[in-house]
């Protein structure tokens, strides 16, 4: 497929574009995000560092792919752009988990996506969003943004501030329905609900707490004091859970995990979690393991 066809088709959200805020409509393709991929199952190998090797995998923070473009520093838990690891293409339907830092006044110029559920979780600073559906918003720490790309969307994301970084997680999940009508939503969380417990921030049901997506997936955030223990119940039989440690440290099913580590577990019904540092923040992603 040549470059023209590649951009025209926009398969699975291909094409990441960089521009300054003043060039928001410029489509200068400096980074290709991902190539088309058919999820065919778990696509990961149990890691020898894991204490429960046959049904878990651990991805240490320093094992992630890293891209430094000056204006953007991105750590990739799964294969993305120039980082390609055939053993780390996805965890079930969880396809992308990028930990991004964007310089002041810079960002992703207008670019296409389709047939992907895209979730943004700001960690610091203000991220300005615009799209061809008429949405023009700003998201910040405590907000959750979701887009169902469906039949196709065009959007841009910029660091709104000229004097500080913006940090956010960019997460992509394969949908369970293709070619849906594109949509956008965002909410502001009540952070008090995530103190020493997991707060639901995403589900398949528009009537539940948090945002919703076209997939049998549930996301939860929690902020824990030291030595707090909790048990998480898997929401749907056959789902696995991928835990990402935003801050602090914890033991999950006896496995020690630290800041920015990822730990995935499958073939389970529940998960025992104990924080081992004050102010430990954990993102849990409960997702189908096969399409």
């Amino acid at each position: 497929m040549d470059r023209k066809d590649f951009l025209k088709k926009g398969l699975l959200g291909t094409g990441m574009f960089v521009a300054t805020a003043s060039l928001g409509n410029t489509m200068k393709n400096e980074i290709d995000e991902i190539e088309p991929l058919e999820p065919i199952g778990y696509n990961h190998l149990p890691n020898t560092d894991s204490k429960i090797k046959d049904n878990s995998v651990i991805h240490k923070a320093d094992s992630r792919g890293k891209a430094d473009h000056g204006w953007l520093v991105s750590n990739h838990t799964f294969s993305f752009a120039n980082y390609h690891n055939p053993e780390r293409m996805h965890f079930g339907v969880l396809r992308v988990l990028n930990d991004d830092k964007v310089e002041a006044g810079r960002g992703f110029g207008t670019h296409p996506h389709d047939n992907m559920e895209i979730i943004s979780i700001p960690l610091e600073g203000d991220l300005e969003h615009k799209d061809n559906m008429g949405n023009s918003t700003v998201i910040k720490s405590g907000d959750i943004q979701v887009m169902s790309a469906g039949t196709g969307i065009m959007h841009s994301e910029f660091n709104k501030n000229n004097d500080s970084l913006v940090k956010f997680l960019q997460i992509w999940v394969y949908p369970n329905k293709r070619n849906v009508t594109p949509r956008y939503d965002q909410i502001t969380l009540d952070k008090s609900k995530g103190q020493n417990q997991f707060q639901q921030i995403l589900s398949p049901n528009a009537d539940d707490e948090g945002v919703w997506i076209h997939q049998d997936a549930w996301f939860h955030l929690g902020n824990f004091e030291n030595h707090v223990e909790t048990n998480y119940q898997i929401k749907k039989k056959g789902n696995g859970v991928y835990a990402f440690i935003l801050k602090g440290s914890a033991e999950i099913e006896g496995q020690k995990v630290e800041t920015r580590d990822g730990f995935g577990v499958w073939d389970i019904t529940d998960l025992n979690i104990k924080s081992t540092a004050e102010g430990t923040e954990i993102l849990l992603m409960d997702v189908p393991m096969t399409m």
Side-chain angles (χ1 to χ4, degrees):
M1 182 184 299
D2 63 23
R3 169 67 66 189
K4 184 177 180 182
D5 288 340
F6 187 68
L7 290 175
K8 183 178 179 181
K9 290 187 177 181
L11 289 169
L12 294 185
T14 47
M16 181 199 288
F17 303 90
V18 53
T20 63
S22 62
L23 296 174
N25 292 322
T26 299
M27 295 183 68
K28 182 181 179 185
N29 189 7
E30 292 188 358
I31 313 162
D32 285 339
E33 291 181 342
I34 61 172
E35 294 181 358
L37 172 71
E38 285 297 327
I40 54 174
Y42 293 10
N43 187 246
H44 44 64
L45 297 178
N47 193 300
T48 55
D49 291 335
S50 171
K51 292 185 179 297
I52 43 177
K53 300 180 181 64
D54 58 342
N55 67 322
S56 71
V57 61
I58 185 167
H59 298 140
K60 300 298 290 182
D62 60 5
S63 74
R64 297 177 294 172
K66 184 175 181 179
D68 188 343
H69 302 281
W71 66 278
L72 165 70
V73 176
S74 184
N75 286 282
H76 311 314
T77 294
F78 303 106
S79 293
F80 190 90
N82 293 327
Y83 170 59
H84 180 77
N85 182 339
E87 294 176 8
R88 284 170 67 163
M89 299 301 295
H90 56 96
F91 180 84
V93 301
L94 177 60
R95 175 61 185 88
V96 168
L97 175 52
N98 286 352
D99 187 1
D100 291 345
K101 298 178 185 178
V102 178
E103 288 291 332
R106 303 298 295 275
F108 307 91
T110 304
H111 60 282
H113 295 286
D114 71 85
N115 287 311
M116 191 69 75
E117 302 294 302
I118 301 173
I119 302 101
S120 296
I121 303 178
L123 305 175
E124 183 180 312
D126 303 320
L127 190 66
E128 185 174 15
H129 166 94
K130 293 182 179 180
D131 61 46
N132 63 341
M133 295 179 284
N135 298 296
S136 180
T137 62
V138 174
I139 56 173
K140 57 188 67 180
S141 178
D143 295 341
I144 304 295
Q145 178 198 79
V146 65
M147 291 188 297
S148 296
T151 54
I153 60 169
M154 300 285 290
H155 80 122
S156 63
E157 306 280 347
F158 282 93
N159 184 344
K160 184 174 175 61
N161 300 315
N162 293 317
D163 57 357
S164 59
L165 284 171
V166 66
K167 302 177 183 180
F168 71 104
L169 299 182
Q170 180 185 170
I171 302 169
W172 295 9
V173 174
Y174 285 110
N176 55 19
K177 296 178 182 178
R178 289 182 60 82
N179 298 321
V180 300
T181 300
R183 69 182 183 91
Y184 175 89
D185 194 15
Q186 73 177 69
I187 62 168
T188 298
L189 300 173
D190 178 354
K191 289 189 174 183
S192 66
K193 294 183 177 180
Q195 293 298 315
N196 289 323
Q197 61 185 347
F198 283 110
Q199 174 185 9
Q200 182 173 289
I201 63 170
L202 176 148
S203 79
N205 189 341
D207 295 326
D208 280 356
E209 278 195 273
V211 294
W212 66 276
I213 62 171
H214 295 282
Q215 186 53 270
D216 292 327
W218 289 260
F219 286 14
H220 291 76
L221 272 173
N223 189 321
F224 298 92
E225 298 172 356
N226 198 7
H227 304 308
V228 172
E229 297 187 39
T230 186
N231 180 270
Y232 176 80
Q233 299 287 320
I234 306 303
K235 298 299 182 184
K236 183 178 179 181
K237 185 177 180 180
N239 275 16
V241 174
Y242 195 88
F244 188 67
I245 311 302
L246 291 168
K247 258 186 217 181
S249 61
E251 290 184 6
I252 302 178
E253 292 295 318
Q255 174 67 51
K256 293 181 180 180
V257 283
E258 300 175 311
T259 301
R260 279 356 195 225
D261 289 350
F263 183 56
V265 189
W266 59 96
D267 291 339
I268 54 171
T269 58
D270 64 317
L271 209 58
N272 291 308
I273 301 167
K274 177 183 177 182
S275 64
T276 55
E278 193 70 23
T280 293
E281 294 183 19
I282 304 173
L283 171 64
L284 291 184
M285 292 166 279
D286 184 330
V287 298
M289 295 306 295
T290 58
M291 291 288 279

